Amino acid sequence: QEEGKAMGNSISVDDYVSALPLALLLALECTSASPIGRSLTFLKQLWKQENKLTCNDNVDKGIDDYNALHAGTVDDRNAEYKKLVNSYYDLATQFYEWGWGQSFHFSHQNKWETFSEGTRRHEYYLASMLGALKPGSKVVDVGCGIGGPARNIAKFFEKQVQIKGLTLNPYQVARGNEVCAQQGLAETVELVQCDFMHSPFEDETFDGAYAIEATCHAPDRVGVYKEVLRTLKPGATFACYEWCMTDKFDSTDKEHLKIKKNIEEGDGLPDIISTHACLKALEKAGFEIVFDRDLADTPGNNWFVPLTPSWNPLTQRFQFNWLGMFLTTNILRVLEVIFLVPKGTSKTQQMLQKGGVGCARGGQTGIFTPMYLMVGRKPLETSTEKGQ
């Protein structure tokens, strides 16, 4: 009897192995990754999504209308850029926050650096381009998403600068300001709903400006850069990470064109222009060019790796292998059937996945960069003043 009792209470190696995935999941839940908590928040946001749409009555019609815009021409998309961008972020914002975090941009990771550490370093490097900003300085984030970079940069400046974040999408404004309040940054960072082609701020309001992978949504680069210039004080700096096609892009190569189109469709872009065109646009807008640099050319830069397939089920890269793609799409379809997420959610996920695969291929081939850095300064005197 004693022997049987001892055998019944023993724990085998197989028991430890079978319990390991659950133990790892619970351990991760105690970190900032919080996969269970984030997933529950994600499902809650999706369930309420149709109450917060601004471009359509429901998600299914929204994704169909969005896809229809991409079936048209570049001119059509530029003419309808506000509808294109607003529809995209109506559909995509919850997916971004769940799968990527609150900073909607790429970065590369150094050895032993976590994903979030690489993200913050990328933002801090851009912020350092703005120079020695005094306490009380005003900065504008042109195309801020839900404000992840703005909050990190505010902390980088020891909460001594005031940051206004501009976004076209009302849901992003509400969500971003909610998180600012949660983090005690409501007095430092404020998100404002507006079209960054027509900023509501007066001339010479800001001491610095930055944009992180956002002005690629503009229908006219010269126009958006001019608007940034108008709101900056003389001598102030604008630093920008742009999405561009590189010199390796061949407009006669069918594979290159497919990659470019996948990125545009999966990321809400009217068109993607070259690095040279962006720099010329910044100069034409009136900025003095301080310097430019494609950070994707940095040796060892691996910005696209999070979008490449992996068989590790504990990483978001799992969704990019064939099994992960199948499971993600069909799980969302089941959730649609039982009304836990709106109809059209699975189609939205497929659209976003197409963009992820396109970006990965663009990075692997070197024809696309999401981190072309341009730094410009507003002249102390305009050409008119110099003439006088």
Side-chain angles (χ1 to χ4, degrees), residues 123-143:
E123 295 165 356
Y124 296 163
Y125 178 64
L126 189 72
S128 71
M129 300 294 132
L130 301 183
L133 294 176
K134 298 177 181 178
S137 294
K138 296 179 180 178
V139 176
V140 61
D141 180 333
V142 185

Side-chain angles (χ1 to χ4, degrees), residues 100-370:
W100 203 258
Q102 294 180 357
S103 292
F104 301 168
H105 64 80
F106 292 107
S107 61
H108 78 275
Q109 288 175 249
N110 292 318
K111 192 174 183 180
W112 308 118
E113 193 174 45
T114 66
F115 181 83
S116 59
E117 287 170 346
T119 296
R120 289 193 297 272
R121 175 181 43 73
H122 196 63
E123 295 165 356
Y124 296 163
Y125 178 64
L126 189 72
S128 71
M129 300 294 132
L130 301 183
L133 294 176
K134 298 177 181 178
S137 294
K138 296 179 180 178
V139 176
V140 61
D141 180 333
V142 185
C144 63
I146 61 169
R151 288 186 288 274
N152 288 336
I153 288 172
K155 295 170 186 175
F156 174 76
F157 283 115
E158 298 292 346
K159 303 181 185 179
Q160 296 299 302
V161 300
Q162 301 293 314
I163 300 178
K164 298 291 185 182
L166 312 183
T167 176
L168 187 63
N169 186 262
Y171 171 76
Q172 291 190 336
V173 172
R175 175 60 180 155
N177 284 331
E178 176 187 23
V179 179
C180 287
Q182 290 171 355
Q183 295 187 8
L185 291 168
E187 301 299 317
T188 307
V189 179
E190 180 187 17
L191 277 66
V192 178
Q193 193 272 323
C194 71
D195 176 3
F196 58 31
M197 299 294 293
H198 305 284
S199 172
F201 296 100
E202 295 181 359
D203 296 356
E204 301 183 5
T205 296
F206 297 107
D207 301 285
Y210 67 87
I212 301 179
E213 303 180 23
T215 48
C216 50
H217 291 292
D220 172 19
R221 291 298 205 288
V222 176
V224 69
Y225 297 155
K226 275 187 174 180
E227 192 65 356
V228 175
L229 185 82
R230 179 186 67 79
T231 60
L232 281 177
K233 295 177 182 178
T237 297
F238 171 49
C240 176
Y241 288 136
E242 272 285 6
W243 280 32
C244 299
M245 306 312 293
T246 72
D247 290 340
K248 293 180 180 179
F249 174 71
D250 180 357
S251 60
T252 65
D253 187 308
K254 290 183 179 180
E255 177 63 17
H256 287 191
L257 290 172
K258 180 182 178 183
I259 291 170
K260 179 175 181 285
K261 184 62 176 172
N262 282 347
I263 296 171
E264 290 166 355
E265 288 186 13
D267 293 282
L269 306 180
D271 190 21
I272 310 175
I273 63 177
S274 71
T275 54
H276 301 293
C278 272
L279 191 64
K280 286 180 182 177
L282 189 66
E283 191 169 20
K284 188 175 180 180
F287 281 98
E288 296 173 346
I289 305 301
V290 178
F291 81 98
D292 68 299
R293 172 192 172 198
D294 184 5
L295 270 62
D297 283 341
T298 305
N301 191 312
N302 55 5
W303 67 265
F304 53 85
V305 170
L307 300 176
T308 56
S310 168
W311 287 97
N312 181 352
L314 296 178
T315 73
Q316 58 90 26
R317 292 175 57 194
F318 182 80
Q319 66 175 302
F320 292 106
N321 67 52
W322 67 265
L323 178 60
M325 288 184 178
F326 174 83
L327 288 174
T328 305
T329 300
N330 286 284
I331 287 171
L332 288 174
R333 284 174 178 165
V334 170
L335 293 176
E336 288 176 3
V337 170
I338 60 177
F339 302 106
L340 282 180
V341 300
K343 184 180 179 183
T345 300
S346 61
K347 288 191 286 187
T348 301
Q349 180 268 335
Q350 288 175 294
M351 175 269 289
L352 294 171
Q353 204 164 55
K354 180 187 289 186
V357 172
C359 285
R361 288 293 297 138
Q364 289 168 333
T365 57
I367 67 171
F368 166 75
T369 176

